[in-house]
């Protein structure tokens, strides 16, 4: 059986993760892998309901802890009912956001202690981290501009946060990547989608030598 990799995509708003996930899915599918693409918050019926609450502007300023526990609740459903079973069956899982989003957004940006978040996460969800995490770098200004032009959709509750908040997310990701260079693959998200996809595939092939 081919090794079923668990690969997550992280980055500020508008970093182009969804396009890159589609392109990477095509790469794995062409190479003969079964591939599942999924996202957080979401990934299950209950997770999507929690997502609606988390992103709904009418919820206003949720307490940081409320936000964290909702993120962890949807992750518990997602990890146990979707991600782990897929990996067990030999399916590659490509996930749009995961644990590092909780660290960057609820930790570095909302001000909850990142070590505590990591502790809670590991205590309840186990020591289970992605095989690789692709971090797409884009400045908060450029990313939010892209997010705004992404269809006709209005900015959601978290996207509508202050510039300062988004700068903290950006810096938080840099710290996370610096602390775990083995897992993170950092790439500049500017340039064309195809150029970026080629860079992602090249980096993954270097990391996982069994990839074609
Ligand atoms: P989404 O529309 O998926 O954003 P994007 O297209 O930029 O990925 O919304 C997900 C939002 O949830 C995004 O603002 C990041 C946030 N988030 C957290 O704050 N913590 C988390 O643990 C996760 C998974 C997401």
């Amino acid at each position: 059986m081919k090794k079923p990799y668990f690969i997550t995509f992280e980055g500020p708003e508008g970093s182009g993760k969804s396009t890159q996930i589609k392109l990477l899915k095509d790469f794995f599918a062409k190479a003969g892998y079964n591939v599942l693409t999924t996202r957080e918050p979401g990934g299950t019926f209950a997770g999507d309901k929690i997502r609606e609450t988390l992103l709904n502007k009418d919820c206003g300023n949720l307490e940081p802890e409320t936000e964290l526990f909702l993120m962890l609740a949807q992750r518990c459903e997602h990890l146990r009912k979707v991600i782990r079973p897929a990996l067990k069956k030999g399916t590659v899982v490509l996930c749009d956001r995961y644990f590092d989003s909780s660290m960057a957004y609820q930790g570095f940006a909302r001000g909850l202690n990142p070590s505590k978040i990591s502790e809670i996460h590991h205590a309840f969800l186990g020591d289970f981290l992605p095989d690789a995490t692709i971090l797409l770098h884009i400045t908060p200004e450029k990313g939010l501009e892209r997010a705004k032009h992404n269809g006709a959709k209005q900015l959601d509750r978290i996207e509508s946060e202050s510039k300062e908040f988004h700068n903290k997310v950006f810096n938080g990701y840099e710290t996370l990547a610096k602390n775990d260079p083995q897992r993170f693959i950092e790439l500049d998200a500017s340039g064309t989608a195809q150029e970026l996809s080629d860079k992602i595939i090249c980096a993954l092939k270097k990391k996982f030598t069994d990839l074609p």
Side-chain angles (χ1 to χ4, degrees):
M1 187 168 81
K2 289 181 150 103
K3 177 163 170 30
Y5 293 107
F6 176 35
I7 300 172
T8 56
F9 279 72
E10 295 282 354
E13 319 290 331
S15 49
K17 292 178 279 89
S18 31
T19 308
Q20 290 308 319
I21 288 175
K22 275 188 208 128
L23 292 168
L24 189 60
K25 179 185 183 182
D26 292 346
F27 164 79
F28 274 108
K30 272 191 201 134
Y33 287 82
N34 288 324
V35 197
L36 173 80
T37 62
T38 184
R39 69 168 178 186
E40 288 202 358
T44 63
F45 182 82
D48 278 331
K49 294 286 157 207
I50 297 173
R51 176 188 176 92
E52 279 169 29
T53 302
L54 278 162
L55 301 187
N56 188 335
K57 272 188 174 173
D58 293 341
C59 291
N61 291 327
L62 290 176
E63 295 301 319
E65 291 84 353
T66 307
E67 212 176 79
L68 174 69
F69 288 123
L70 288 175
M71 291 294 177
L72 294 180
Q74 64 80 34
R75 183 161 308 131
C76 187
E77 288 299 300
H78 194 203
L79 184 62
R80 302 235 175 102
K81 298 199 168 117
V82 176
I83 299 175
R84 295 203 93 142
L87 292 168
K88 229 176 181 172
K89 277 197 285 179
T91 301
V92 166
V93 177
L94 307 179
C95 189
D96 189 343
R97 299 193 181 280
Y98 186 67
F99 166 68
D100 301 293
S101 281
S102 304
M103 295 289 277
Y105 283 78
Q106 282 67 55
F108 290 95
R110 289 277 188 237
L112 297 179
N113 182 338
S115 333
K116 279 255 152 44
I117 296 180
S118 177
E119 220 175 273
I120 296 171
H121 181 99
H122 292 308
F124 293 101
L125 297 177
D127 277 334
F128 183 73
L129 284 174
D131 297 301
T133 295
I134 317 277
L135 174 57
L136 299 182
H137 277 301
I138 189 161
T139 61
E141 292 80 15
K142 270 198 205 154
L144 284 170
E145 203 45 42
R146 269 203 206 168
K148 262 189 221 156
H149 290 110
N150 207 350
K153 85 167 179 122
Q154 297 233 317
L155 293 186
D156 63 43
R157 195 182 63 84
I158 299 180
E159 284 167 339
S160 313
E161 278 294 341
S162 66
K163 197 173 153 206
E164 195 197 349
F165 175 89
H166 290 291
N167 280 330
K168 285 183 186 165
V169 169
F170 182 84
N171 294 331
Y173 272 130
E174 294 214 310
T175 304
L176 292 169
K178 215 192 293 157
N179 290 342
D180 196 352
Q182 288 284 86
R183 175 165 65 88
F184 275 91
I185 295 171
E186 287 184 86
L187 289 166
D188 182 349
S190 57
T192 69
Q194 193 54 57
E195 278 165 3
L196 182 54
S197 174
D198 292 345
K199 283 186 197 160
I200 291 173
I201 291 166
C202 182
L204 287 173
K205 281 183 178 175
K206 244 192 225 163
K207 192 171 171 60
F208 305 129
T209 46
D210 60 324
L211 289 185

